[in-house]
Amino acid sequence: MNKPFLKQLGIDPMAFEEIGSNYAMFESSYLYVRDIADLGEEGGQQEDSTLSRVNVWIISDVEMGAMIPKVLTPEDLEYTYAMIVPDTENPWEMMDQCEKWMQVLKEGIYQITPNLEFKMMNELRERIENLFKTYEEPELDSEGKLIVKKIKNKNFDDSRAGGDKLEDFDTSMMEDQEMIDNLKKEMDLPDGTLVTNLFIPVSVVISKVDLIEHGEREIKGTLEKNLDFIQYCLRKFCLSYGASLVFASANSNSNIQLLYDYFLNRIYDSELIHPSNISDKGALFVPTGFDSKELIESSEVTKFVEDYKFKNQIEPTFNDIVQQ
């Protein structure tokens, strides 16, 4: 528990341990802003207490969604990131879980936003919209290494102070890119995209995806048979809320580092270092801004989905998903 942070909020940390307290079912934790493993590369050790932390609130009960406006201030929204984490143990409940927790999040955030200054509200709204309008896949060089654009831009700024030669940088390309981004921001969003704007970055993280290969026979068989359809439905759902979609597993260490890196990208605007991945079904990664209604509908699963909708050939336990 991040007790110093709770004290900053004026919350007594002991309230989380008192039976009957409003906070008793509300879990608090934290993430380090940097990978602890990276610290050794700098030739020194750093105490846990001196590392920067990001506070994490964990809600596992719908009723505790009412606590969101109590622990978040309007000013916090600029630095807030939400994850909804269903798992694959009961795949027929996956869509219901997504809708339930997205509604909890929406109700909590929409109680906070009326207290925002009008300018800040517009900035938060446009920030999420621009994730779609200006999204670009990370570029790799001939050796498969990431071309880090933000570092390039930083070096260019340094060169203006005399650090490097100005001719090493193509300033016209940077100006053209900025102009293109500004034009993109003026465009309307495509149909079906970001129908509901929650003002903060949101990810839907499907956990325990190792069950696709190593689960019990019934679950493994259900996932193998319906995985394309499940991902089709999830992608449409995430597109409507502007949420990214990640399939991850702690057991198999699948997409764990990716998820951490993506979190830093969304909160701190660090370089996006992982391209999208829609070909590996067990390690699916659809960052916000990548997907579109046309891309989803053009997937190989489209005809498969329509057949199941009209012929009712899918397993009865998936009826709720079919209705999406």
Side-chain angles (χ1 to χ4, degrees), residues 5-20:
F5 183 81
L6 297 179
K7 291 179 179 178
Q8 290 178 14
L9 293 176
I11 300 173
D12 181 1
M14 295 301 296
F16 284 79
E17 303 172 5
E18 294 176 2
I19 297 177

Side-chain angles (χ1 to χ4, degrees), residues 27 33 35 55 101 111 159 161 167 197 203 219 249 272 274:
E27 298 179 62
V33 172
D35 273 329
N55 197 65
W101 290 111
Q111 287 185 53
S159 73
E167 54 265 32
N197 192 328
S203 289
I219 296 298
S249 169
L272 179 60
H274 300 280

Side-chain angles (χ1 to χ4, degrees), residues 9-198:
L9 293 176
I11 300 173
D12 181 1
M14 295 301 296
F16 284 79
E17 303 172 5
E18 294 176 2
I19 297 177
S21 166
N22 289 333
Y23 298 94
M25 295 175 62
F26 205 66
E27 298 179 62
S28 174
S29 187
Y30 53 84
L31 290 174
Y32 291 109
V33 172
R34 302 181 55 191
D35 273 329
I36 298 179
D38 292 342
L39 298 176
E41 298 178 3
E42 299 179 359
Q45 295 288 332
Q46 190 169 352
E47 296 293 334
D48 287 359
S49 59
T50 63
L51 289 172
S52 298
R53 300 175 180 180
V54 174
N55 197 65
V56 178
W57 301 104
I58 304 170
I59 301 176
S60 54
D61 189 301
V62 171
E63 294 180 355
M64 295 306 294
M67 301 300 295
I68 293 176
K70 296 184 181 296
V71 297
L72 293 179
T73 67
E75 293 73 23
D76 290 331
L77 293 185
E78 184 178 359
Y79 306 103
T80 298
Y81 177 99
M83 290 186 188
I84 295 173
V85 192
D87 61 49
T88 59
E89 283 189 297
N90 298 299
W92 46 87
E93 295 181 359
M94 205 175 293
M95 291 306 303
D96 286 342
Q97 290 293 316
C98 287
E99 291 179 352
K100 177 178 72 174
W101 290 111
M102 194 67 81
Q103 184 63 29
V104 170
L105 178 62
K106 177 182 175 181
E107 291 176 358
I109 296 298
Y110 280 14
Q111 287 185 53
I112 301 172
T113 50
N115 298 317
L116 280 168
E117 294 183 1
F118 183 75
K119 180 181 178 181
M120 177 57 70
M121 183 182 293
N122 277 340
E123 288 178 355
L124 293 179
R125 180 188 293 110
E126 291 175 357
R127 180 182 65 165
I128 303 302
E129 291 178 354
N130 291 339
L131 292 176
F132 283 95
K133 295 178 179 180
T134 63
Y135 176 81
E136 291 183 358
E137 282 277 270
E139 296 181 26
L140 304 178
D141 61 20
S142 58
E143 298 180 356
K145 296 181 180 180
L146 179 75
I147 300 174
V148 186
K149 301 175 184 178
K150 284 185 171 60
I151 290 180
K152 276 189 172 183
N153 292 349
K154 180 182 183 301
N155 288 341
F156 170 68
D157 291 337
D158 291 343
S159 73
R160 298 176 65 179
D164 294 312
K165 293 181 180 180
L166 192 60
E167 54 265 32
D168 290 344
F169 303 93
D170 190 341
T171 59
S172 63
M173 286 183 61
M174 294 176 62
E175 292 171 354
D176 289 346
Q177 185 60 50
E178 183 178 357
M179 182 180 68
I180 292 171
D181 285 346
N182 289 335
L183 289 173
K184 287 179 178 178
K185 291 176 183 179
E186 297 298 322
M187 299 172 64
D188 293 331
L189 289 171
D191 182 45
T193 300
L194 196 58
V195 177
T196 302
N197 192 328
L198 296 180

Side-chain angles (χ1 to χ4, degrees), residues 140-302:
L140 304 178
D141 61 20
S142 58
E143 298 180 356
K145 296 181 180 180
L146 179 75
I147 300 174
V148 186
K149 301 175 184 178
K150 284 185 171 60
I151 290 180
K152 276 189 172 183
N153 292 349
K154 180 182 183 301
N155 288 341
F156 170 68
D157 291 337
D158 291 343
S159 73
R160 298 176 65 179
D164 294 312
K165 293 181 180 180
L166 192 60
E167 54 265 32
D168 290 344
F169 303 93
D170 190 341
T171 59
S172 63
M173 286 183 61
M174 294 176 62
E175 292 171 354
D176 289 346
Q177 185 60 50
E178 183 178 357
M179 182 180 68
I180 292 171
D181 285 346
N182 289 335
L183 289 173
K184 287 179 178 178
K185 291 176 183 179
E186 297 298 322
M187 299 172 64
D188 293 331
L189 289 171
D191 182 45
T193 300
L194 196 58
V195 177
T196 302
N197 192 328
L198 296 180
F199 302 95
I200 63 172
V202 179
S203 289
V204 173
V205 181
I206 306 300
S207 65
K208 301 183 182 180
V209 296
D210 55 289
L211 296 181
I212 296 173
E213 294 186 3
H214 306 293
E216 295 181 3
R217 187 176 67 175
E218 180 181 358
I219 296 298
K220 184 175 182 289
T222 300
L223 289 170
E224 287 177 345
K225 180 179 179 181
N226 299 285
L227 186 59
D228 286 339
F229 184 46
I230 293 171
Q231 293 187 346
Y232 172 90
C233 295
L234 287 169
R235 287 174 65 183
K236 289 185 69 175
F237 175 81
C238 289
L239 182 66
S240 68
Y241 282 95
S244 58
L245 177 61
V246 184
F247 272 43
S249 169
N251 288 336
S252 61
N253 198 31
S254 173
N255 278 348
I256 300 302
Q257 184 63 45
L258 178 148
L259 192 57
Y260 178 82
D261 293 336
Y262 189 68
F263 158 77
L264 294 181
N265 168 261
R266 288 283 77 101
I267 292 292
Y268 297 106
D269 195 31
S270 63
E271 187 75 20
L272 179 60
I273 62 176
H274 300 280
S276 59
N277 181 4
I278 57 175
S279 58
D280 185 349
K281 301 301 181 181
L284 186 78
F285 174 49
V286 184
T288 297
F290 168 81
D291 233 343
S292 67
K293 185 177 179 181
E294 290 73 22
L295 186 59
I296 297 171
E297 295 293 347
S298 67
S299 63
E300 296 179 0
V301 75
T302 303

